[in-house]
Amino acid sequence: MPDGALPVLDVRDLKTVFKTRGGEVHAVNDVSFELRPGELLGVVGESGSGKSVTMMSLLGLLPSPPANVRGGQVTFDGRDLLKVNPDELRSVRGAKIGFIFQDPMTSLNPVFTVGNQIMEPLRKHMGLNKREAAVRAQELLELVGIPDAARRLLDYPHQFSGGMRQRVMIAIALACDPQVLIADEPTTALDVTIQAQILELMKELRSKLGMAVIWITHDLGVIAGIADRVMVMYAGQVVEHAPVEELFQNPQHPYTRALLKTIPTISGERAARLTIIEGQPPIMMAPPNACAFRDRCDVAFERCAQENPPRYDVGHGHDAACFFDARTGVPRDV
């Protein structure tokens, strides 16, 4: 990634709310980040932390109602994606920004062949005729490592294994040579061997195609092996953001430190091998006016219940939203 390169995607103060019978759920709260050309940004956090909702909000993929993107700015290719009309957004979705969904079996249409589903974006966004699209679809299946690609284009999703279906989803996302690829936990439902194959495939494709990638996961082990930078989310907010090595060597937010402790080990006493984070993430029925992690935090103090901490710059491209300074071991004097 070139130093000083302009971001290919710039997100500022994104807010998303869900209207429910019980009131409004503030799922995404002032999320800001940049994605630079060719880099891989890892987004981590527990289920319900707002990772997937944030990325779906960027592309208008949430049903409205109940979802409402209430504020923010998403700059891509010189345009704010939150303000463009539906036709313009459709021209970006699947063409310039690809999206790999979490479960390929529910994302692929069971009544259409894999070939038809790969060819659809090629014909819609790139204007290819049926023959040209079929040739390109075969190339894409070969690119993602599916053998006998010409024959497999005629097969239906149920005729593929879980790992192969995920490769098909990657092929669809890559069909139009996107500038940005968003991968929403693409290896979660796969066994460890297939997961390793998909991760290796993504490394190869990223190197070959030079695209920027956002990789959503709850697995810090995956992030350690593939990411350039990491964004940690909790309760719909970014609580820490840093280069990947810096985050693992010098975690600043108590939530990040707690996540790192939950990575299992095979050494030591059995009772000490697996650590959990006590408690549950909050349901955000109002905009945050205090630290959302305070009830589960081992260093919380009075101020944490009175204010929502901003993201403090801690140096080396690293910031954390915490009133407690992990470097000095005392609360911040600001």
Side-chain angles (χ1 to χ4, degrees):
M1 179 184 65
D3 292 334
L6 292 175
V8 65
L9 182 67
D10 189 357
V11 178
R12 295 290 164 213
D13 303 320
L14 184 67
K15 301 180 182 71
T16 300
V17 173
F18 287 87
K19 294 183 178 180
T20 71
R21 290 182 179 180
E24 292 188 338
V25 177
H26 293 256
V28 179
N29 299 293
D30 293 308
V31 168
S32 298
F33 66 91
E34 293 181 349
L35 181 69
R36 298 191 180 278
E39 80 169 341
L40 193 148
L41 172 66
V43 183
V44 298
E46 292 170 281
S47 296
S49 61
K51 309 182 299 296
S52 298
V53 172
T54 296
M55 301 310 158
M56 289 185 177
S57 297
L58 306 182
L59 296 175
L61 291 171
L62 295 171
S64 180
N68 177 21
V69 180
R70 187 161 288 179
Q73 182 176 330
V74 179
T75 304
F76 174 78
D77 203 17
R79 295 176 290 179
D80 183 352
L81 297 184
L82 301 184
K83 293 181 179 178
V84 300
N85 63 50
D87 287 339
E88 285 183 276
L89 189 57
R90 278 191 289 269
S91 72
V92 171
R93 235 176 7 219
K96 297 181 179 180
I97 301 180
F99 206 111
I100 304 172
F101 294 95
Q102 189 172 131
D103 184 358
M105 200 57 202
T106 57
S107 301
L108 293 169
N109 193 320
V111 302
F112 289 101
T113 65
V114 160
N116 278 332
Q117 295 182 65
I118 300 174
M119 289 162 61
E120 182 182 4
L122 293 169
R123 301 191 69 184
K124 180 176 179 59
H125 295 298
M126 300 185 74
L128 302 186
N129 61 38
K130 190 172 182 178
R131 181 179 177 81
E132 292 169 336
V135 171
R136 173 64 174 157
Q138 181 179 334
E139 292 173 352
L140 286 163
L141 284 190
E142 291 169 349
L143 180 68
V144 298
I146 293 181
D148 198 8
R151 183 181 64 81
R152 299 310 305 265
L153 285 173
L154 304 175
D155 288 343
Y156 291 84
H158 72 271
Q159 295 174 278
F160 289 75
S161 67
M164 288 298 182
R165 282 195 294 267
Q166 195 59 276
R167 289 171 186 260
V168 171
M169 288 297 299
I170 294 171
I172 293 172
L174 296 176
C176 300
D177 297 326
Q179 295 171 252
V180 175
L181 179 66
I182 301 174
D184 186 2
E185 302 198 39
T187 60
T188 298
L190 306 177
D191 63 59
V192 176
T193 304
I194 302 302
Q195 181 183 89
Q197 292 175 6
I198 296 295
L199 291 174
E200 196 59 38
L201 171 65
M202 287 303 301
K203 288 180 184 178
E204 292 175 11
L205 292 175
R206 181 185 163 213
S207 174
K208 186 181 295 184
L209 303 176
M211 62 191 171
V213 179
I214 298 175
W215 190 282
I216 304 168
T217 185
H218 61 267
D219 190 336
L220 283 163
V222 168
I223 288 301
I226 63 172
D228 297 309
R229 288 186 297 122
V230 188
M231 187 169 79
V232 183
M233 292 191 67
Y234 185 79
Q237 302 174 82
V238 178
V239 295
E240 189 158 5
H241 171 256
V244 63
E245 291 184 7
E246 168 73 12
L247 184 98
F248 278 81
Q249 293 173 6
N250 188 29
Q252 294 293 309
H253 197 279
Y255 178 59
T256 307
R257 295 198 296 273
L259 282 178
L260 290 170
K261 288 179 182 177
T262 64
I263 299 175
T265 62
I266 59 173
S267 61
E269 295 296 325
R270 179 177 294 184
R273 290 179 193 170
L274 184 61
T275 303
I276 63 171
I277 305 175
E278 298 289 346
Q280 297 291 328
I283 299 174
M284 304 297 291
M285 302 304 292
N289 55 15
C291 176
F293 189 62
R294 66 189 184 280
D295 293 335
R296 307 171 75 187
C297 181
D298 57 2
V299 295
F301 59 104
E302 185 178 357
R303 187 182 181 189
C304 303
Q306 299 170 347
E307 301 175 53
N308 189 35
R311 288 163 64 179
Y312 291 96
D313 183 359
V314 296
H316 307 290
H318 191 166
D319 61 66
C322 185
F323 291 129
F324 185 82
D325 191 336
R327 297 167 300 176
T328 61
V330 297
R332 299 179 189 278
D333 187 21
V334 289

